[in-house]
Amino acid sequence: MRKIVLSLAIASVLIACNEKKSTAEVTETSKTGQTEDDFKWKTDEFADIKVIRYQIPGWDQLSLKQKELVYYLSQAGLSGRDIMWDQNYRHNLKVRRALENIFTNYKGDKNSEDWKKFDTYIKRVWFSNGIHHHYSTDKILPEFSKEYFSSLLKDTNTDLSEEIVDIIFSPTIDAKKVNLNTKKGLVKGSAANFYSPNMTEADVDAYYDKKIDKSDHTPVEYGLNSKLVKHEDGTIEEKVYKIGGMYSDALEKVVYWLEKAKTVAENDQQAKAIGLLIDYYKTGDLEKWNEFNIAWVEDTESNIDFINGFVEVYNDSKGFRGSYETIIEIKDFDLSKKMAVLSDNAQWFEDQSTILPEHKKENVVGVSYKVVNVASEAGDSSPSTPIGVNLPNNNWIRATHGSKSVSLGNIVYAYAQAGGSEILEEFAYSPEEIEREKKYGKAADKMHTALHEVIGHASGKINKGIGTPKETLKNYASTLEEARADLVGLYYLMDPKLQELGVLESIEGGKAAYDGYIRNGLMTQLFRLNLGDDIEEAHMRNRQLVAAWAFEKGQKDNVIEKVTKDGKTYFVVRDYDKLRAIFGELLKEIQRIKSEGDYEAGKNLVENYGVKVDQDIHKEVLDRTKNFQNKPYGGFINPILVPVTDDNGKITDIKVEYANNFTEQMLQYAKDYSFLPDEN
């Protein structure tokens, strides 16, 4: 469970810590000629995307054994990169390899407008791990002609079927990777490669109605690591991702590196967790996945940690199948210690919540919190990355064994170095609002994410016998869960308890967060959509749902006022205390929906408030942002970890280097980590 927004779950101390780099970090970066002053953060811009590099603070403070562990885990992660491409769409690997062959071997005019458009297209496909946009999930249509593409194929002797070429250029065939519009069919309307093309939503529902045991209090995450295939005779096969099964070639490489990582684990608990993950990939057994998650969440002592697996289900319109992802993390000791206060007080936040008493946890277990620095990412986390993560996703494991919340400190810092203030200055109503945001907004936004991940996702309980949210709330489960966690954070941002705990400087930070949330939910996030589109991405739906519901419920008391000034629209918070009460009211209702499995109420909330867009407002937003320099989406190039060996091949050190640009890294990854056949 994650909040994919530009914010981070750490307190205002991050700003001060990042303003004054440690001696160790400056020393490390200077060895590669990349000091803080001359480091190039933003390397590429194309279409609606900017590509950024990030550093690894404190790398030289790690022991050789720790560096080896990070290296092996990163290699394991990158070895599964092809899996994400294939999960996103069944033809993606074939298309990627064709595009890369053209790019590498074309000897014609590379100054022509058509070639420049091809260059942009391949970068967009690389960035999205496929031919569908990483965020909107709409197909990325080339701006060059089919005839020009055919000439490139011919000139470079690139093999690509006419069928696939037609698909690339068609605005209607497999147009949406993740379709959440039930009228188009959640399965038939989605191009993601989790179900064979002949399967329907009814097929999936019937399959899991028979398979899921709702009386099981410790269930597995059904369907997390498999593809459902419907054969001509009507039988359905579950093709499991495992060694000897689907994606075997890549998973064998993943396991090879995990086995090396296990030999340099920091402690027995970490070694146990890695061993269980290896067993899971060898067997495909989801009970092993449960065992791994329990061992992983109970490893709270390791300084090197990792996410690796088929994890988030946002790319499956039915919410069963997990996308492959990895993040390799190094603990930020100072910030983690300062922010542990949130997890230490998790029970207080639960007890003071506005949710109904019967929906509160009597004992909030094991909510660990860390600020980390990323060393490598792959799959669903790269190039576009979350900045805060809370796992595991299995509710009974979270309730019984706890969860881990991490904030990716160096990622958000890199974002900040490559960012801008155009959105704020255009859509904030007054100089006072702008000043408050500049003074308190970053810290408040980070605290909101902290509360979202550490307290929000860990709060509340489901009534016995109800089943999991993806069973009861179905395609609305992700949106409602993100809204619930957001609301937990919003409610407490205006609570003096945060000043008492020393994690937020002023109540003005809460006001800045309220201003920004309403501004984003009702207006600014719309510049990511094409005019006329509904909102389909779960996090965007969540934000509009919360903001629109609050706007409507507060109209009688003018809690949020819609103002026109100089021909421009603004949404202005007029009463922060009443808005907090409204957030608390919605939190109570969404928790009730989740606890009781009230599908109809959840559907009505999402459809009535989170999906449809005010077209006049949307057009205005697009008009006001059309000349902005800052791109709406950002993603990252990974640092390159380079082993140094002696004459006997023994590793003596591991150095950090940096790719010059996005293209360089993508071509290197294609060379080093392509392990799957074109069709799977």
Side-chain angles (χ1 to χ4, degrees):
M1 299 176 181
R2 65 174 58 156
K3 182 181 181 184
I4 309 178
V5 294
L6 184 53
S7 56
L8 175 68
I10 53 179
S12 57
V13 290
L14 175 67
I15 305 300
C17 287
N18 279 326
E19 285 175 350
K20 186 176 182 180
K21 292 290 179 179
S22 69
T23 302
E25 182 179 347
V26 173
T27 300
E28 184 274 317
T29 55
S30 66
K31 289 178 181 177
T32 61
Q34 301 287 350
T35 64
E36 181 68 15
D37 292 334
D38 65 13
F39 188 78
K40 185 178 180 181
W41 297 97
K42 185 165 60 177
T43 66
D44 302 81
E45 285 188 313
F46 49 89
D48 54 358
I49 291 162
K50 60 185 175 186
V51 181
I52 308 162
R53 301 193 301 184
Y54 63 92
Q55 296 179 326
I56 310 175
W59 177 256
D60 279 352
Q61 293 174 308
L62 299 179
S63 68
L64 176 58
K65 184 178 178 182
Q66 288 175 317
K67 289 180 180 180
E68 284 190 77
L69 176 60
V70 172
Y71 174 69
Y72 296 144
L73 289 172
S74 72
Q75 293 302 299
L78 290 166
S79 294
R81 173 177 179 259
D82 276 355
I83 297 174
M84 186 73 248
W85 281 79
D86 192 73
Q87 287 183 310
N88 278 340
Y89 185 53
R90 65 188 184 277
H91 296 311
N92 269 339
L93 288 173
K94 185 72 172 176
V95 171
R96 189 191 83 198
R97 287 161 182 161
L99 296 177
E100 289 168 347
N101 191 65
I102 291 171
F103 189 89
T104 303
N105 295 299
Y106 181 61
K107 305 300 183 184
D109 183 3
K110 294 188 177 181
N111 293 313
S112 71
E113 288 303 311
D114 279 334
W115 179 261
K116 291 176 183 177
K117 290 174 181 177
F118 175 82
D119 182 75
T120 296
Y121 180 70
I122 191 173
K123 288 176 181 176
R124 295 185 74 189
V125 172
W126 278 330
F127 191 90
S128 294
N129 295 314
I131 66 172
H132 296 87
H133 193 279
H134 75 285
Y135 202 88
S136 72
T137 80
D138 294 329
K139 190 195 292 182
I140 303 168
L141 293 173
E143 295 182 351
F144 49 84
S145 69
K146 186 187 295 187
E147 290 71 25
Y148 178 71
F149 187 57
S150 296
S151 72
L152 294 178
L153 292 171
K154 181 179 179 181
D155 290 347
T156 56
N157 294 315
T158 303
D159 179 32
L160 197 63
S161 72
E162 186 176 338
E163 176 194 4
I164 296 178
V165 172
D166 288 342
I167 290 172
I168 289 172
F169 286 89
S170 170
T172 57
I173 302 173
D174 295 334
K176 195 82 174 174
K177 182 177 75 175
V178 185
N179 167 56
L180 296 178
N181 184 339
T182 55
K183 294 179 181 178
K184 297 179 181 179
L186 297 181
V187 174
K188 296 292 286 185
S190 297
N193 190 26
F194 294 126
Y195 306 96
S196 59
N198 61 342
M199 287 201 72
T200 66
E201 184 178 355
D203 291 330
V204 178
D205 289 343
Y207 182 84
Y208 284 108
D209 282 345
K210 294 178 181 178
K211 190 175 184 68
I212 294 174
D213 179 4
K214 293 185 178 181
S215 66
D216 186 356
H217 299 306
T218 58
V220 299
E221 294 177 76
Y222 290 97
L224 191 70
N225 65 334
S226 65
K227 176 181 178 179
L228 283 189
V229 176
K230 185 177 181 180
H231 297 295
E232 291 184 3
D233 62 0
T235 59
I236 293 176
E237 176 189 2
E238 193 164 9
K239 297 180 68 176
V240 178
Y241 312 152
K242 65 175 183 176
I243 291 179
M246 192 168 179
Y247 300 141
S248 182
D249 291 344
L251 291 175
E252 288 171 24
K253 297 293 185 181
V254 173
V255 166
Y256 169 83
W257 289 107
L258 287 176
E259 287 175 336
K260 284 184 171 292
K262 185 180 177 183
T263 66
V264 290
E266 293 185 273
N267 51 60
D268 290 343
Q269 184 66 23
Q270 186 179 65
K272 176 183 177 182
I274 295 173
L276 286 166
L277 182 60
I278 292 169
D279 290 344
Y280 164 62
Y281 281 140
K282 288 181 175 180
T283 65
D285 183 355
L286 284 170
E287 292 288 357
K288 286 291 181 186
W289 176 247
N290 278 355
E291 292 178 36
F292 159 71
N293 276 285
I294 293 168
W296 175 80
V297 83
E298 291 180 348
D299 173 20
T300 58
E301 300 301 320
S302 297
N303 296 319
I304 310 300
D305 207 349
F306 63 97
I307 294 165
N308 186 304
F310 306 103
V311 183
E312 303 293 349
V313 298
Y314 298 115
N315 286 319
D316 179 9
S317 58
K318 292 296 293 177
F320 285 103
R321 325 207 102 69
S323 296
Y324 176 82
E325 72 167 306
T326 71
I327 305 175
I328 316 306
E329 311 158 355
I330 303 168
K331 184 176 180 179
D332 185 315
F333 301 99
D334 185 48
L335 291 180
S336 295
K337 182 178 179 180
K338 291 177 179 177
M339 286 302 296
V341 65
L342 279 187
S343 52
D344 291 344
N345 286 273
Q347 191 64 55
W348 183 91
F349 288 107
E350 183 79 348
D351 294 342
Q352 303 304 313
S353 175
T354 60
I355 65 178
L356 295 171
E358 59 266 32
H359 298 154
K360 294 181 179 180
K361 287 181 179 177
E362 296 83 5
N363 182 29
V364 181
V365 177
V367 186
S368 69
Y369 174 85
K370 288 189 295 186
V371 181
V372 301
N373 291 311
V374 172
S376 181
E377 298 180 310
D380 201 25
S381 294
S382 181
S384 178
T385 174
I387 45 71
V389 183
N390 179 273
L391 292 170
N393 284 332
N394 196 319
N395 282 289
W396 75 263
I397 295 178
R398 299 166 67 84
T400 306
H401 300 277
S403 62
K404 286 182 181 179
S405 289
V406 297
S407 301
L408 313 185
N410 58 336
I411 292 294
V412 80
Y413 182 69
Y415 263 129
Q417 302 314 300
S421 60
E422 292 172 309
I423 285 281
L424 171 65
E425 292 169 0
E426 176 62 38
F427 289 94
Y429 175 66
S430 65
E432 293 78 15
E433 189 176 325
I434 293 172
E435 180 61 28
R436 181 164 54 219
E437 172 64 29
K438 288 183 175 179
K439 186 173 182 179
Y440 300 105
K442 287 183 179 179
D445 192 40
K446 293 161 192 170
M447 183 51 53
H448 182 211
T449 306
L451 292 164
H452 173 111
E453 299 290 357
V454 181
I455 307 301
H457 282 314
S459 71
K461 64 181 182 181
I462 299 172
N463 295 355
K464 290 184 178 180
I466 292 298
T468 66
K470 71 180 177 184
E471 295 166 26
T472 58
L473 303 178
K474 301 178 181 178
N475 51 304
Y476 301 109
S478 293
T479 295
L480 291 168
E481 173 57 23
E482 294 303 323
R484 189 183 71 89
D486 259 6
L487 285 161
V488 170
L490 289 166
Y491 183 74
Y492 284 114
L493 278 168
M494 287 290 292
D495 197 305
K497 182 73 171 180
L498 298 185
Q499 283 82 61
E500 178 188 326
L501 294 174
V503 294
L504 195 62
E505 177 185 350
S506 168
I507 203 74
E508 292 298 304
K511 293 180 180 180
Y514 279 23
D515 292 337
Y517 198 92
I518 296 302
R519 208 165 47 232
N520 188 40
L522 295 179
M523 291 198 78
T524 57
Q525 71 171 0
L526 298 180
F527 90 133
R528 295 181 165 190
L529 298 179
N530 296 318
L531 186 63
D533 286 355
D534 289 341
I535 297 175
E536 295 204 37
E537 201 278 330
H539 298 81
M540 288 184 70
R541 283 185 167 190
N542 132 50
R543 291 188 287 266
Q544 179 172 285
L545 184 164
V546 171
W549 195 91
F551 175 65
E552 179 183 291
K553 298 304 177 184
Q555 284 187 331
K556 179 181 176 182
D557 296 325
N558 199 35
V559 176
I560 303 169
E561 184 179 2
K562 183 180 180 181
V563 179
T564 301
K565 181 176 71 171
D566 300 329
K568 297 179 179 180
T569 303
Y570 301 86
F571 289 90
V572 186
V573 179
R574 298 299 191 188
D575 192 320
Y576 294 94
D577 290 330
K578 287 184 178 178
L579 181 54
R580 184 191 185 207
I582 290 171
F583 286 148
E585 182 183 348
L586 182 56
L587 170 60
K588 179 170 69 175
E589 172 60 8
I590 291 182
Q591 181 62 60
R592 183 199 66 78
I593 289 169
K594 182 175 179 180
S595 295
E596 299 176 3
D598 190 342
Y599 174 80
E600 287 301 322
K603 173 184 176 181
N604 289 336
L605 262 184
V606 176
E607 293 290 347
N608 291 334
Y609 296 97
V611 176
K612 297 298 179 183
V613 175
D614 183 315
Q615 293 302 305
D616 292 334
I617 292 290
H618 192 185
K619 184 178 185 304
E620 179 184 336
V621 169
L622 294 178
D623 287 341
R624 290 165 69 177
T625 58
K626 64 183 178 182
N627 294 321
F628 279 10
Q629 295 300 308
N630 199 31
K631 303 293 185 181
Y633 302 102
F636 290 87
I637 295 174
N638 286 311
I640 305 166
L641 304 181
V642 182
V644 178
T645 59
D646 61 19
D647 293 339
N648 297 317
K650 183 179 179 181
I651 294 176
T652 58
D653 196 7
I654 294 176
K655 299 295 185 182
V656 178
E657 296 180 358
Y658 299 91
N660 291 310
N661 55 58
F662 186 54
T663 298
E664 178 183 300
Q665 183 152 95
M666 291 300 98
L667 291 176
Q668 191 64 46
Y669 281 179
K671 178 176 177 289
D672 293 343
Y673 304 108
S674 290
F675 300 122
L676 291 181
D678 290 342
E679 302 284 343
N680 296 275

